[in-house]
């Protein structure tokens, strides 16, 4: 028993020693590469990084390869060598993809850091973020990890790229951050008469993604913090009152309430032709409205009225919900 225990401990010490040696080896290599970059030998250093990356990968040293690429990319970024830095960033992603690495917060933060340092107008950044989001979904088919989307949204917000920031906030779980960004977006770029429209789009899109919690948080935070919105409810702007009632109705799930709301607030809903499309989807998700139902009334109200009059087949509608085409959220 003691002999076996001793053997196990000896093996663990050996593994620990091997790990320390590997880490020391990486540090020595990084020291030499850093010296090359500091001398201005950017091309030579870049090629050395690439050579070492493929050597580590062939030896299944995936963690060492990732660490080397991440630190190398940061080094090149610090010397404004955008092309070399972007290339090493893509190699970091390649290591994640090929090694089957698990998604964790530290890795997501590394990817977001690299994204934040890339030239916002470079095609490499577009390619990088697309692959990073795909990897972060973990093969689930979803639109990327919410944490990564949140980090990307925060970077784009700092860059005042509000439209792209809003897209990523929608796919995160950060309703509060989204609302604060929208307040700034509305104040900086919007007209005074559009303050309600900025939050309306976000609330309806969150509901289309079945994220009731974030829809409520973004509405509450936005209406409380926007300097041009008086405290409510009720609100001066009819569209904000509609959103407030809609969020209450979603919890109740009563089709009659939803129908009356959409009828009563049609003048406000006509301000943006997309609102009725979003509400069509929301009706399917939360109120059992059959999708794509033809009607002499047409559109959203036709679906609602036909449902109330019993012309739809609810069971078929429920089955079709999952197959109906999602609305583009841009």
């Amino acid at each position: 028993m003691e002999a076996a225990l001793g053997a196990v401990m000896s093996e663990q010490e050996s593994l620990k020693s091997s790990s320390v040696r590997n880490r020391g080896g990486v540090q020595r290599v990084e020291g030499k590469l850093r010296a090359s970059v500091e001398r201005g030998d950017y091309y030579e250093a870049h090629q050395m990084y690439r050579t070492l990356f493929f050597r580590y990968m062939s030896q299944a040293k995936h963690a060492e390869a990732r660490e080397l690429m991440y630190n190398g990319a940061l080094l090149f970024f610090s010397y404004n060598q955008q092309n070399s830095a972007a290339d090493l960033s893509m190699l970091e992603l390649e290591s994640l993809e090929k090694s089957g690495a698990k998604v964790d917060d530290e890795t997501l933060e590394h990817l977001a850091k690299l994204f934040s340092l890339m030239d916002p107008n470079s095609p490499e950044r577009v390619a990088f973020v697309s692959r990073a989001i795909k990897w972060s979904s973990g093969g689930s088919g979803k639109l990327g990890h919410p944490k990564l989307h949140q980090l990307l949204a925060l970077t784009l917000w700092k860059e005042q790229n509000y439209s792209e920031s809003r897209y990523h906030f929608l796919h995160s779980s950060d309703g509060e951050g989204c609302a604060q960004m929208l307040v700034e977006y509305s104040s900086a770029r919007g007209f005074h008469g559009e303050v309600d429209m900025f939050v309306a789009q976000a609330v309806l899109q969150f509901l289309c993604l079945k994220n009731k919690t974030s829809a409520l948080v973004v509405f509450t935070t936005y209406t409380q913090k926007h300097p041009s919105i008086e405290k409510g409810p009720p609100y001066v702007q009819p569209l904000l009152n509609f959103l407030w009632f809609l969020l209450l109705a979603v919890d109740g799930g009563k089709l009659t309430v939803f129908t009356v709301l959409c009828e009563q607030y049609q003048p406000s809903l006509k301000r943006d032709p997309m609102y009725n499309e979003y509400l069509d989807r929301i009706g399917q998700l939360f109120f059992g409205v059959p999708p794509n139902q033809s009607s002499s009334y047409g559109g959203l109200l036709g679906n609602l009225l036909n449902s109330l009059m019993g012309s739809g087949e609810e069971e078929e509608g429920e089955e079709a919900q999952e197959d109906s085409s999602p609305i583009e959220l841009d």
Side-chain angles (χ1 to χ4, degrees):
M1 180 72 176
E2 289 181 1
L5 183 60
V8 170
M9 292 180 66
S10 175
E11 184 177 345
Q12 288 176 337
E13 288 297 323
S14 176
L15 288 172
K16 187 184 294 185
S17 175
S18 174
S19 175
V20 170
R21 284 198 303 273
N22 286 339
R23 181 73 193 97
V26 171
Q27 287 178 332
R28 284 194 298 274
V29 168
E30 285 185 333
K32 292 179 181 179
L33 291 170
R34 180 176 290 276
S36 292
V37 172
E38 289 172 351
R39 288 196 304 269
D41 297 333
Y42 303 126
Y43 177 80
E44 179 184 343
H46 183 191
Q47 295 308 309
M48 288 171 65
Y49 271 109
R50 290 182 61 85
T51 299
L52 286 167
F53 172 79
F54 291 112
R55 182 179 300 169
Y56 280 143
M57 291 296 287
S58 68
Q59 297 170 352
K61 294 180 178 179
H62 302 123
E64 289 89 342
R66 283 197 296 279
E67 182 180 1
L68 189 65
M69 293 305 99
Y70 178 68
N71 291 333
L74 294 182
L75 180 61
F76 277 119
F77 277 127
S78 71
Y79 282 84
N80 200 30
Q81 298 297 305
Q82 281 281 332
N83 290 339
S84 295
D87 181 57
L88 298 193
S89 299
M90 295 298 277
L91 291 178
E92 159 124 353
L93 266 178
E94 183 176 324
S95 171
L96 290 169
E97 292 164 347
K98 290 186 175 179
S99 66
K102 291 183 179 180
V103 178
D104 58 39
D105 284 352
E106 183 181 15
T107 304
L108 295 177
E109 286 164 6
H110 281 185
L111 295 177
K113 176 71 173 177
L114 296 174
F115 173 82
S116 72
L117 294 171
M118 289 182 181
D119 179 356
N121 299 313
S122 68
E124 291 82 6
R125 194 192 212 195
V126 176
F128 176 82
V129 75
S130 177
R131 281 178 65 179
I133 289 171
K134 184 178 180 181
W135 172 79
S136 75
S137 67
S140 65
K142 295 181 180 178
L143 296 172
H145 196 284
K147 174 72 172 179
L148 179 59
H149 279 296
Q150 181 195 29
L151 295 170
L152 296 173
L154 292 171
T155 290
L156 291 161
W157 179 8
K158 288 177 185 175
E159 296 172 359
Q160 298 186 332
N161 188 342
Y162 299 114
S163 180
E164 289 293 318
S165 176
R166 180 183 60 195
Y167 169 82
H168 289 290
F169 269 125
L170 281 170
H171 294 287
S172 75
S173 300
D174 187 4
E176 184 174 356
C178 182
Q180 292 173 340
M181 182 276 295
L182 289 173
V183 169
E184 183 179 309
Y185 188 10
S186 167
S187 301
R189 307 275 174 86
F191 295 106
H192 179 75
E194 296 176 338
V195 292
D196 51 349
M197 298 181 75
F198 277 82
V199 72
Q201 184 183 41
V203 168
L204 296 176
Q205 289 180 340
F206 270 126
L207 290 176
C208 285
L209 293 168
K210 296 191 281 190
N211 190 342
K212 291 193 296 183
T213 301
S214 293
L216 179 59
V217 170
V218 75
F219 177 81
T220 305
T221 306
Y222 183 90
T223 52
Q224 287 176 348
K225 297 198 172 184
H226 201 293
S228 298
I229 295 176
E230 295 181 19
K231 285 187 178 181
Y235 301 95
V236 173
Q237 298 88 344
L239 186 57
L240 295 181
N241 289 324
F242 169 78
L243 295 172
W244 173 252
F245 288 128
L246 176 64
L247 289 165
L248 294 175
V250 161
D251 275 335
K254 291 183 178 179
L255 180 58
T256 50
V257 175
F258 182 57
T259 307
V260 170
L261 263 180
C262 293
E263 281 186 324
Q264 290 295 317
Y265 285 93
Q266 268 304 297
S268 294
L269 297 177
K270 286 178 179 177
R271 291 170 64 193
D272 186 330
M274 284 302 297
Y275 290 165
N276 279 337
E277 290 194 39
Y278 294 141
L279 289 166
D280 230 345
R281 181 66 174 152
I282 291 165
Q284 296 166 30
L285 292 172
F286 297 103
F287 300 96
V289 178
N292 302 323
Q293 188 177 46
S294 61
S295 165
S296 58
Y297 294 99
L300 169 73
L301 287 180
N303 280 352
L304 295 175
L305 291 170
N306 280 338
S307 296
L308 287 173
M309 292 185 290
S311 63
E313 297 179 13
E314 281 76 11
E315 290 183 5
E316 290 183 8
E318 288 176 8
E319 290 175 5
Q321 282 179 23
E322 295 301 320
D323 298 326
S324 59
S325 299
I327 295 171
E328 283 291 322
L329 303 180
D330 52 19

